[in-house]
Amino acid sequence: MASLGEEAVRNKQVILRDYVCGFPKESDMHVTTTTTTANLKVPQASNAVLLKNLYLSCDPSQRTRMTNYQSSTYFLHARQSEDMAGVAKVLDSGHPNFKKGDLVRGITGWEEYSLITPPATETLTKIEPTDVPLSYYIGILGMPCLIAYAGFYELVGQFAKLMGCYVAGSAGSKEKVDLLKKKLGLDDAFNYKEEPDLNAALKSYFPLGIDAYFENVGGKMLDAVLLNMRTGGLIAVCGMISQYNCLHKPEGVHNLLHLIVKRICIEGFLVHDYDHLYPKFLEWVLPQIKEGKIIYVEDIAEGLESAPTAIVGLFTGHNVGKQVVVVARE
Amino acid sequence: MASLGEEAVRNKQVILRDYVCGFPKESDMHVTTTTTTANLKVPQASNAVLLKNLYLSCDPSQRTRMTNYQSSTYFLHARQSEDMAGVAKVLDSGHPNFKKGDLVRGITGWEEYSLITPPATETLTKIEPTDVPLSYYIGILGMPCLIAYAGFYELVGQFAKLMGCYVAGSAGSKEKVDLLKKKLGLDDAFNYKEEPDLNAALKSYFPLGIDAYFENVGGKMLDAVLLNMRTGGLIAVCGMISQYNCLHKPEGVHNLLHLIVKRICIEGFLVHDYDHLYPKFLEWVLPQIKEGKIIYVEDIAEGLESAPTAIVGLFTGHNVGKQVVVVARE
């Protein structure tokens, strides 16, 4: 946590004990302290970057990296404290793109200090100073919002750009539904976990059918959406949170025949394919935040120790707003 | 079957007794004779067309019209002998586009004589004389091939146009697999009903993964394909024969998470959206047939009485090649 002299530095870490099976539990992780990052310096003649982590992101997609999948390059295992999106300060750098004192966003470790070596340094991007909170760079200015931007502007742009389009949201708790309707200004919203008949619910919210659906739930929700899509509709698939904790295989989706009937296009995408859009996205989103046109809500967990609870909470619907873990404020 | 005088004409018909549940059986249909088409003339001052049906098509997609689905405009019920693709001769016409003696293709009835009234007349297209057999207009020159043409040239054109692309086919019997490999010239083929492990089979046929898949089976086959798609792959969905006879709901598809991982695009389509391509398709395909570059195989059932057996056979893999019912040869 702090320098103990020239050679030894304590580094608190959250470690996965093993691959996770089913819903993650706090006991799947433990908080430990190592002294492996010597002296807060990068090794001599290396092109690595030593980071002090400030804000770490909790995203449902992290769950997919905790499973022992085979035959997929995306589902890398995360038995070590790695692969967390975060905002950090550069303490030392042998890399030409970064210098001491820089603030960066990118993939870092679930720990206080991270030594990032190439090629992982390619995920790091220097943050240019703005007057919005730094933690925003793992939320509204980070991956979760870039994916929404890419999803709507690249894939279903014609709909999102229609200023008067009707938008109904779906969330997993009453509190979140209230947030969507009362604070975020959606036309309507419902709790997908409590609707006894999702098909009937969607029919009532979309009596004319759904033109575009931003898929992050999967399973029964996707089945109900397929029944309610309009001809020529588009489904952008960015996540399927309901499926990440399945013990055996993911739930079956039964209504794919509607793809033919309604000439639906379903397209999956990964945000990193759209990294090139980030500057354009930032240019668009920053004024919207400053002018209050986009409302952003964070759910802050204090301290690295709170990380296991925070990530477990994602899958029980505990968080309201973007889940952030504060490791250090500067 | 023939004129019995000025007023009464016998018309043999195949009628569905009721909606079909599960695999269709011959006993779901019966062959009957009516005398409703009076005098082989269209009613006075009508713009209808009276057809003598020559060749009727048996397609798996007809099965979907035999089910009592709700809330879908595509799954029209077919309790009457209607909605069959066919080739017919015009016996009488009050419609400006057709005259006595014309040969037409389009949607007609499962019977000897059909009175087609607007707007159903819009499905009829006059056949310009060519030197290929008339029955080809419900097969290689009809819907099943236009859908393949539209699927590959409109959706996955870049792959189909690569002359050297590797193509492996999947079929439901040894005889069909032999046909694909030995007569139709595919690089390889396998029997999807007999592979004990479809995932392993696809891995062996496509060690580098699948770029484009033309989906006509659904269920377990689609699940195995999803596991074997390459990043950025395309799936054109035209049918799901394995799902048409499900007693309750269609089989679940479990591997949709791969859509995200591999940024796959799945698009459903109906051939009638591509009707405008037909002239272009015909221009392309006719020389290919005449030069023997496309091999076309028909499975001929003689007589309207054979229609129930022919359609039942589609779902047990009985037919080898395009299933045609010959009602009359001229």
Side-chain angles (χ1 to χ4, degrees), chain B residues 176-226:
Chain B
K176 292 180 190 180
V177 167
D178 285 347
L179 179 72
L180 291 177
K181 287 201 288 194
K182 294 175 188 165
K183 192 158 178 185
L184 305 188
L186 268 59
D187 294 300
D188 219 326
F190 61 95
N191 182 343
Y192 71 89
K193 291 183 181 169
E194 292 203 342
E195 289 290 347
D197 181 343
L198 277 172
N199 178 21
L202 288 172
K203 280 206 180 2
S204 75
Y205 291 107
F206 300 94
L208 301 175
I210 301 167
D211 290 303
Y213 172 58
F214 203 58
E215 165 66 307
N216 282 293
V217 176
K220 290 182 183 64
M221 183 72 185
L222 179 55
D223 255 339
V225 166
L226 285 166

Side-chain angles (χ1 to χ4, degrees), chain B residues 41-261:
Chain B
K41 297 282 178 199
V42 299
Q44 277 202 322
S46 108
N47 51 1
V49 180
L50 186 82
L51 299 181
K52 178 180 184 185
N53 294 311
L54 304 179
Y55 299 94
L56 296 177
S57 179
C58 291
D59 299 301
S61 60
Q62 287 165 314
R63 172 65 185 84
T64 61
R65 298 198 186 83
M66 299 177 180
T67 299
N68 187 9
Y69 286 94
Q70 290 180 325
S71 72
S72 168
T73 53
Y74 174 62
F75 295 126
L76 297 170
H77 67 272
R79 296 194 57 177
Q80 298 299 317
S81 56
E82 56 190 18
D83 279 356
M84 305 289 288
V87 167
K89 181 184 264 186
V90 175
L91 296 187
D92 191 27
S93 172
H95 194 287
N97 294 359
F98 306 100
K99 62 176 197 298
K100 187 175 171 177
D102 282 351
L103 291 167
V104 294
R105 63 182 187 87
I107 302 301
T108 182
W110 217 353
E111 57 193 345
E112 289 178 297
Y113 302 102
S114 298
L115 184 72
I116 311 293
T117 52
T121 44
E122 285 174 26
T123 76
L124 300 179
T125 310
K126 203 174 151 182
I127 298 173
E128 301 302 334
T130 57
D131 50 2
V132 296
L134 266 183
S135 62
Y136 280 27
Y137 284 90
I138 50 170
I140 182 77
L141 302 179
M143 180 275 284
C145 253
L146 178 59
I147 204 165
Y149 179 81
F152 278 109
Y153 279 77
E154 288 286 290
L155 299 181
V156 292
Q158 66 272 39
F159 296 110
K161 282 177 179 168
L162 282 173
M163 290 303 288
C165 77
Y166 168 88
V167 180
S170 137
S173 74
K174 186 183 176 307
E175 206 176 348
K176 292 180 190 180
V177 167
D178 285 347
L179 179 72
L180 291 177
K181 287 201 288 194
K182 294 175 188 165
K183 192 158 178 185
L184 305 188
L186 268 59
D187 294 300
D188 219 326
F190 61 95
N191 182 343
Y192 71 89
K193 291 183 181 169
E194 292 203 342
E195 289 290 347
D197 181 343
L198 277 172
N199 178 21
L202 288 172
K203 280 206 180 2
S204 75
Y205 291 107
F206 300 94
L208 301 175
I210 301 167
D211 290 303
Y213 172 58
F214 203 58
E215 165 66 307
N216 282 293
V217 176
K220 290 182 183 64
M221 183 72 185
L222 179 55
D223 255 339
V225 166
L226 285 166
L227 293 175
N228 286 281
M229 289 297 288
R230 291 182 75 173
T231 295
L234 295 168
I235 299 179
V237 188
C238 327
M240 291 189 173
I241 193 174
S242 71
Q243 303 306 303
Y244 297 158
N245 301 308
C246 290
L247 281 176
H248 301 292
K249 59 181 179 180
E251 209 175 343
V253 170
H254 299 272
N255 295 326
L256 293 173
L257 274 172
H258 286 257
L259 296 181
I260 309 172
V261 181

Side-chain angles (χ1 to χ4, degrees), chain A residues 11-26:
Chain A
N11 187 21
K12 205 184 290 179
Q13 295 182 310
V14 178
I15 304 281
L16 279 182
R17 290 181 200 274
D18 201 350
Y19 293 122
V20 173
C21 186
F23 276 82
K25 304 174 297 298
E26 290 176 45

Side-chain angles (χ1 to χ4, degrees), chain A residues 166 202-209:
Chain A
Y166 169 87
L202 288 172
K203 280 206 180 0
S204 74
Y205 291 107
F206 300 94
L208 301 176

Side-chain angles (χ1 to χ4, degrees), chain A residues 64 69-75 203 215 222-223 227 231 237-240 243-244 249-270 272-273, chain B residues 64 69-75 203 215 222-223 227 231 237-240 243-244 249-270 272-273:
Chain A
T64 61
Y69 286 95
Q70 289 179 325
S71 72
S72 168
T73 53
Y74 173 63
F75 295 127
K203 280 206 180 0
E215 166 65 307
L222 179 55
D223 255 340
L227 292 176
T231 295
V237 189
C238 328
M240 292 189 172
Q243 303 306 303
Y244 297 158
K249 61 180 180 180
E251 208 176 342
V253 171
H254 300 272
N255 295 327
L256 293 173
L257 274 172
H258 286 256
L259 295 181
I260 309 172
V261 182
K262 297 168 184 165
R263 297 80 126 183
I264 296 166
C265 178
I266 303 192
E267 187 158 354
F269 66 107
L270 288 181
H272 298 304
D273 294 339
Chain B
T64 61
Y69 286 94
Q70 290 180 325
S71 72
S72 168
T73 53
Y74 174 62
F75 295 126
K203 280 206 180 2
E215 165 66 307
L222 179 55
D223 255 339
L227 293 175
T231 295
V237 188
C238 327
M240 291 189 173
Q243 303 306 303
Y244 297 158
K249 59 181 179 180
E251 209 175 343
V253 170
H254 299 272
N255 295 326
L256 293 173
L257 274 172
H258 286 257
L259 296 181
I260 309 172
V261 181
K262 297 170 183 165
R263 295 82 125 185
I264 296 167
C265 178
I266 303 192
E267 187 157 354
F269 65 108
L270 288 182
H272 297 304
D273 293 340

